[in-house]
Amino acid sequence: MSLVNGLPAHVLLVHFVVVLVPLTAIAVVASAVWPAVARRMGVVLPVLALVTLASVPLTTSAGEWLEEHVGSNALVRRHAELGDGLLPWALGLFVLAAAVWWTTRRTTSEQTGNRSASVVRIAAAVLSVVVAAGAVVDVYRIGDSGAKAAWHDGYSKTAGGSGDGDD
């Protein structure tokens, strides 16, 4: 993807990632911690995680196109470097979402007291919290670096636009 209605696609697609990664992270953690949430979400949980996973390489690809069409500097390179690290986190969210959904589907009321089922639930909850936190922190770091790359010289701290204080 390169342009959408004259705008760089990355500028538009990034909004999906910024919304979907934290939303998926919250859904995965809630579902892993509370099986009732997982049962209520049903197949929506892994589908949401799959859409999130698919949005990351699309956005990254559009970002690579944009990187080739803007002046290269250390801020742009840092943003691109950080952006390349999000895919493993999104994949982790998808794998955990699918695992939580699958195990919740297979759990019956007789297995609720089962010790091994409890161990699996606790492990899934801990992994979900770790992966969700990593994904959200990574999205924040990537977004912060992207904002700095886009706006580092693009605005004035004073009204009027000159930035020299002599207005």
Side-chain angles (χ1 to χ4, degrees):
M1 285 201 141
S2 55
L3 296 174
V4 174
N5 202 25
L7 291 173
H10 180 72
V11 176
L12 301 172
L13 292 172
V14 73
H15 291 86
F16 288 106
V17 172
V18 167
V19 170
L20 289 176
V21 169
L23 181 64
T24 302
I26 290 167
V28 168
V29 170
S31 296
V33 172
W34 297 289
V37 172
R39 282 190 294 277
R40 191 151 179 101
M41 287 196 73
V43 74
V44 170
L45 180 64
V47 169
L48 173 64
L50 182 62
V51 170
T52 301
L53 176 61
S55 72
V56 171
L58 282 174
T59 304
T60 303
S61 176
E64 289 168 355
W65 179 90
L66 182 58
E67 183 181 14
E68 294 172 4
H69 291 83
V70 297
S72 181
N73 62 48
L75 294 173
V76 170
R77 286 189 299 276
R78 175 74 175 144
H79 175 64
E81 180 182 298
L82 287 172
D84 288 338
L86 185 58
L87 189 58
W89 292 112
L91 180 61
L93 286 173
F94 173 70
V95 168
L96 284 165
V100 167
W101 171 74
W102 180 256
T103 57
T104 302
R105 269 187 75 226
R106 298 183 51 86
T107 302
T108 63
S109 58
E110 299 117 30
Q111 293 174 325
T112 306
N114 186 344
R115 181 167 156 67
S116 64
S118 295
V119 170
V120 169
R121 271 198 38 232
I122 291 169
V126 169
L127 278 172
S128 295
V129 168
V130 169
V131 171
V136 170
V137 167
D138 207 31
V139 165
Y140 171 80
R141 291 177 64 222
I142 295 163
D144 182 60
S145 70
K148 286 177 181 172
W151 293 98
H152 73 283
D153 283 333
Y155 72 97
S156 171
K157 292 182 182 177
T158 61
S162 70
D164 59 11
D166 292 337
D167 294 339

